Amino acid sequence: MHKYLRSIGFSNLTDNQALEALLERAVNEKYKTDMMFAGNGTIVEQYQLPVAPSMGITVVGERDNKGVFHRSYYFPYMRSYDGTLTREGTVERHLEKETYAGVLEDFRAGITLIFYVTNSVQLRELHQMMIRVDARQAFLTGLSTEGMILLPIEKNEEDDEIKKRKRREQKKLYEAARQGDPEAIETLTETDLNIMNEVQHRIVQEDLYSLVESSFMPTGVECDMYQILGEIVGMRVKSNVYTHENIVDLKINCNDCIFHVAINEADLHGVPAIGRRFKGKIWMQGELEVIEEKSDDKTASEKEHDE
């Protein structure tokens, strides 16, 4: 049973029989969202069972030439409409099954972000058709099984333009450091050392979370698991139509990155509110929007026409 089913309102789902009924319902009631021909008369089909606005359970399997559906895997999902643009996004196939991990090299948090791709069937079809694609943007979400609400920290009044300029400069430094620029690496290292020294002096009399406004850190042995601390910039409470459990949909700003996090209300410690902060461990997933790769090569007739 998938650990993060409780994140979308199934905290009391303890036996496989009840789970099977939900998965069968998704297929039998024809909540089909994607399909592809896999050859030998086999069709790969994807179904989604909505349980609350923008969230539910995805079921993927193969239907053989006799019309019998064989489930391959399932996972809880949450959909976001806040896209993160990328110029250096790629996908990597998982070894265990025909699913994919998305990789964002230019993630704003300053790290390489790896997430579970929720539209793997679409990417699998493009790969089968030998169509080369570029990642355009990712719609990121996180599912959490435990989290807490922290109060905001006191901030210094600073002009918005100054903040934007500092963010642009920091992004340029990250990009230059990835390209191996020694000056950028030295500048970032010096900045980190200065921050560390300041924290070491202040931590004696202040709490850690009054010093750290937000953080985004990989955790555990799985590549798509993260420990986050971010500001709540929007929130909505949704209800699971099957269990009537409340799910809190938090819109988080973490290191200038905007994404949504779903957590069962029973698993959230504290009272969420806009301006407060969320701290917790999340399973990062997302839908990757791709575009067909353009070729710079021109045919002879096109070149002749240009001349």
Side-chain angles (χ1 to χ4, degrees):
M1 188 173 298
H2 203 289
K3 174 183 178 181
Y4 288 92
L5 283 172
R6 68 179 297 114
S7 303
I8 59 171
F10 292 104
S11 63
N12 295 320
L13 195 64
T14 56
D15 60 274
N16 288 325
Q17 186 175 358
L19 174 61
E20 284 294 330
L22 288 170
L23 301 181
E24 288 293 330
R25 184 165 190 168
V27 177
N28 294 333
E29 295 191 7
K30 307 302 181 186
Y31 292 102
K32 187 186 293 184
T33 58
D34 210 344
M35 63 173 289
M36 62 166 285
F37 294 96
N40 299 323
T42 301
I43 302 175
V44 178
E45 298 177 344
Q46 175 177 289
Y47 296 88
Q48 288 185 336
L49 179 66
V51 302
S54 302
M55 60 184 68
I57 303 174
T58 295
V59 181
V60 178
E62 296 184 351
R63 192 173 297 277
D64 60 26
N65 52 15
K66 296 181 180 180
V68 179
F69 181 79
H70 304 276
R71 186 174 72 245
S72 300
Y73 60 92
Y74 73 94
F75 59 89
Y77 74 88
M78 181 185 184
R79 183 176 293 112
S80 171
Y81 299 98
D82 295 301
T84 299
L85 295 173
T86 178
R87 292 174 297 166
E88 301 180 27
T90 59
V91 292
E92 296 289 341
R93 184 186 182 278
H94 292 135
L95 294 176
E96 182 183 359
K97 50 184 175 285
E98 196 77 33
T99 56
Y100 293 86
V103 183
L104 299 186
E105 296 286 351
D106 54 347
F107 192 53
R108 295 179 186 175
I111 66 171
T112 298
L113 177 74
I114 301 175
F115 62 95
Y116 185 90
V117 175
T118 58
N119 58 323
S120 288
V121 174
Q122 178 193 9
L123 299 182
R124 180 178 174 182
E125 183 178 21
L126 293 172
H127 178 72
Q128 179 180 280
M129 297 169 64
M130 301 183 69
I131 298 177
R132 298 185 64 179
V133 296
D134 285 330
R136 182 174 181 271
Q137 62 180 334
F139 298 89
L140 300 173
T141 56
L143 300 182
S144 178
T145 57
E146 184 178 357
M148 65 175 62
I149 301 299
L150 303 180
L151 294 175
I153 65 173
E154 184 178 357
K155 302 178 184 179
N156 294 326
E157 292 295 331
E158 194 172 14
D159 186 75
D160 288 339
E161 285 300 321
I162 296 177
K163 290 182 180 179
K164 290 179 181 179
R165 178 172 53 81
K166 287 183 177 179
R167 285 196 291 265
R168 287 195 298 267
E169 291 174 353
Q170 188 178 40
K171 186 176 181 180
K172 289 180 180 178
L173 284 173
Y174 280 131
E175 291 178 353
R178 288 195 190 97
Q179 300 298 324
D181 187 336
E183 291 186 5
I185 296 174
E186 184 178 350
T187 301
L188 289 173
T189 302
E190 184 178 351
T191 301
D192 288 343
L193 289 174
N194 291 337
I195 292 175
M196 186 182 299
N197 289 332
E198 182 180 355
V199 169
Q200 287 177 342
H201 283 93
R202 294 178 59 183
I203 196 67
V204 178
Q205 296 180 335
E206 299 180 51
D207 181 78
L208 174 64
Y209 295 112
S210 66
L211 302 177
V212 180
E213 181 179 358
S214 67
S215 65
F216 199 105
M217 185 181 301
T219 182
V221 296
E222 298 183 51
C223 298
D224 47 17
M225 304 295 297
Y226 298 91
Q227 183 76 35
I228 68 165
L229 172 63
E231 181 183 356
I232 301 172
V233 295
M235 61 169 290
R236 180 182 174 189
V237 179
K238 304 175 180 179
S239 178
N240 185 307
V241 295
Y242 296 98
T243 64
H244 304 294
E245 295 182 20
N246 286 336
I247 308 147
V248 184
D249 177 357
L250 300 172
K251 187 175 181 180
I252 303 292
N253 182 350
C254 184
N255 287 15
D256 294 325
C257 304
I258 303 293
F259 53 90
H260 288 254
V261 172
I263 183 171
N264 196 306
E265 190 176 52
D267 296 330
L268 184 61
H269 304 284
V271 180
I274 294 176
R276 295 180 181 180
R277 293 178 294 166
F278 170 82
K279 174 182 176 293
K281 185 177 179 181
I282 65 170
W283 173 44
M284 184 65 81
Q285 59 175 224
E287 182 175 340
L288 194 63
E289 181 183 359
V290 296
I291 55 176
E292 293 187 20
E293 190 176 75
K294 295 182 179 179
S295 174
D296 293 331
D297 297 333
K298 293 185 177 181
T299 63
S301 61
E302 288 176 327
K303 291 181 180 178
E304 185 178 340
H305 177 73
D306 291 342
E307 293 174 355

